[in-house]
Amino acid sequence: MTRAEIHPQHQRLAARLKELRQAAGLSAAALGQPFGWSQSKTSKMENGTSALVIADIHQWLDRVQASDDERTEVPALARETGTRVRPWRDADRPDAATQQDARGRRDTETSGIGVFQSEVVPGLLQTPSTPAACVRSTPSRPTRSRPRCWR
């Protein structure tokens, strides 16, 4: 991703994170070390080439011992960036919340779930003795092989 493809608002947030790290006198590797972040992850976050997660930003602010004003300013900028900026390549894709709402509506509207079991004789072809034969042929203790009536 080139610098031109990164939204200016995202660039501002990334630059602010980098300023805070440098002001704290930490290297990119030292900043991420307590959280298990690689130097590469930290670098991508402060160059704007990686998606920023609010939880990661809070950890960043804790590590650099940010002031109360910075603890208010930076997450607000991150939330605004996350809600207002969508890359053009994602413009036609629904976001996670939209997909989750759609799945919830679909699940609510579902009245039944059909299951196809290829190893069971369909109801119209069964005789009263078929289920009894399956039960009789099932071993009393589990084995790796299937009962004979299932073959």
Side-chain angles (χ1 to χ4, degrees), residues 69-88:
D69 290 340
E70 292 164 338
R71 288 179 185 276
T72 304
E73 168 207 348
V74 175
L77 181 58
R79 282 188 200 91
E80 188 176 327
T81 300
T83 56
R84 293 196 179 178
V85 177
R86 278 186 81 187
W88 62 268

Side-chain angles (χ1 to χ4, degrees), residues 72-142:
T72 304
E73 168 207 348
V74 175
L77 181 58
R79 282 188 200 91
E80 188 176 327
T81 300
T83 56
R84 293 196 179 178
V85 177
R86 278 186 81 187
W88 62 268
R89 64 180 168 268
D90 293 339
D92 61 340
R93 292 185 198 160
D95 61 352
T98 305
Q99 289 177 347
Q100 203 166 17
D101 289 342
R103 287 185 187 115
R105 282 192 305 279
R106 182 193 62 212
D107 291 350
T108 310
E109 295 168 0
T110 301
S111 60
I113 298 174
V115 178
F116 175 74
Q117 295 179 343
S118 62
E119 297 176 352
V120 177
V121 178
L124 293 174
L125 301 176
Q126 284 186 359
T127 64
S129 61
T130 304
C134 273
V135 171
R136 278 194 308 275
S137 68
T138 304
S140 58
R141 56 179 206 263

